[in-house]
Amino acid sequence: MADEDDDLILSELDDEELVAQMFDDLYDGMREEIMEATQILLDRGWAPYDVLTKSLVGGMTIVGNDFRDGILFVPEVLLAANAMKGGMSILKPLLAETDAPRMGKMVIGTVKGDIHDIGKNLVAMMMEGAGFEVVDLGINNAVEAYLEALANEKADILGMSALLTTTMPYMKVVIDTMKEQGIRDDYIVLVGGAPLNEEFGKAIGADAYCRDAAVAVETAKDWISRRHNQMQAGA
Ligand code: B1M
């Protein structure tokens, strides 16, 4: 017998019902339904950023809480993450659509020992949307990978992401190595990830902690313009 959900026609739901259904579908890892619903919201005139934050990130927060409370386990969370990425793949080109002039270049990656990449991918997308060039190193990055990319790409900004309390100290290893090599001040260093906070960012010697992707964009813009002003003053 057909399941009740099989009969559900997403396009017939109003916005509020559709977002609630997306929370359920994300929870159940239903990638195709998430992609369809993402497109429906866009077709109804929702801004890509609103679809991202109000439906996808909102749904993922519920998944995160139940993962924390032992109600969901790794395989289910992986399916949810996969569904979220399906929605993000539709939003990515829209968030990146911009006439903004190139703002600067960022190398970003999740630190060694950590395979969480959804937040980092969001930051990368939003930075591209704001006119930054982004070199995404993916997950599990050792200090050498960051330093090599910074040099090869002639980047302005280093972005590091960590989602585990056990991996966040590795950010300090990267920054300390930059100091040892005398290159720390050549780059703007921004850090982010759910377990971090402003105090931690300061303590490890980052230029700023970014609470979310939108803050990362604003902070990056702010630091780039400070750098330009400093360079002009020194010229
Ligand atoms: Co993991 N996991 N996980 N996990 N996971 C957390 C982080 C956890 C908090 C869950 C929990 O217990 N509530 C917990 C960490 C606890 C702790 O350290 N104190 C945890 C754990 C324990 C683990 C494992 C150890 C579980 C296990 O194996 N027993 C394991 C670790 C594997 C490893 O990394 N070595 C693990 C595995 C996984 C999955 C693979 C199943 C999956 C990851 C899939 C993937 O990323 N491709 C997963 C997921 C999905 C999560 C939760 C549920 C969701 C994370 C997420 O994507 N959030 C998470 C619970 C939670 O955070 N509520 C959890 C959505 C995303 C949009 O937010 O990543 O915070 P976030 O990014 C935000 C900001 O933080 C910021 O901007 C982003 C967008 O606004 N930001 C930056 C992030 N990076 C930035 C970089 C910047 C700037 C801003 O640079 C400039």
Side-chain angles (χ1 to χ4, degrees):
M1 215 174 74
D3 181 75
E4 201 184 312
D5 277 359
D6 289 344
D7 300 331
L8 199 68
I9 299 173
L10 294 175
S11 57
E12 288 180 353
L13 302 178
D14 68 26
D15 285 10
E16 201 179 320
E17 291 165 340
L18 185 57
V19 169
Q21 184 60 38
M22 287 176 83
F23 285 5
D24 283 353
D25 287 345
L26 199 73
Y27 197 91
D28 294 334
M30 297 171 77
R31 184 181 167 105
E32 289 197 356
E33 285 75 1
I34 286 295
M35 292 177 76
E36 187 187 338
T38 298
Q39 192 57 56
I40 293 172
L41 288 178
L42 289 172
D43 292 344
R44 288 184 189 172
W46 278 49
Y49 185 68
D50 284 344
V51 181
L52 182 67
T53 51
K54 292 182 184 155
S55 63
L56 300 181
V57 174
M60 205 62 194
T61 305
I62 301 171
V63 171
N65 291 344
D66 281 3
F67 187 35
R68 178 196 60 211
D69 297 341
I71 298 165
L72 287 181
F73 297 95
V74 170
E76 292 141 336
V77 178
L78 269 177
L79 283 176
N82 185 44
M84 172 144 183
K85 284 184 180 179
M88 279 164 63
S89 69
I90 295 176
L91 298 175
K92 182 173 177 175
L94 304 174
L95 289 166
E97 229 170 53
T98 174
D99 296 330
R102 289 287 119 194
M103 300 284 301
K105 197 171 195 178
M106 173 188 237
V107 161
I108 188 166
T110 305
V111 296
K112 189 173 167 181
D114 201 322
I115 62 167
H116 294 87
D117 67 354
I118 296 177
K120 183 257 309 158
N121 294 348
L122 268 180
V123 174
M125 263 188 223
M126 298 275 298
M127 291 288 292
E128 279 177 356
F132 286 86
E133 225 178 304
V134 176
V135 180
D136 187 346
L137 303 181
I139 54 172
N140 194 24
N141 284 288
V143 58
E144 296 79 12
Y146 286 117
L147 299 193
E148 199 183 310
L150 285 173
N152 291 346
E153 299 292 342
K154 299 190 173 38
D156 308 290
I157 306 172
L158 169 61
M160 289 189 280
S161 178
L163 265 285
L164 299 171
T165 45
T166 48
T167 57
M168 58 192 241
Y170 194 77
M171 293 175 163
K172 183 168 182 326
V173 174
V174 178
I175 295 173
D176 286 349
T177 309
M178 292 170 84
K179 285 180 185 161
E180 278 160 31
Q181 297 191 2
I183 57 167
R184 166 63 187 89
D185 293 337
D186 297 347
Y187 303 98
I188 298 162
V189 180
L190 305 181
V191 294
L196 279 65
N197 57 30
E198 198 132 2
E199 207 181 357
F200 175 80
K202 277 200 189 112
I204 63 169
D207 289 312
Y209 153 72
C210 309
R211 190 181 62 243
D212 60 29
V215 170
V217 168
E218 286 318 308
T219 311
K221 282 184 186 166
D222 189 37
W223 276 86
I224 286 280
S225 70
R226 279 196 222 180
R227 287 259 155 137
H228 285 164
N229 291 345
Q230 275 168 4
M231 274 157 55
Q232 273 168 359

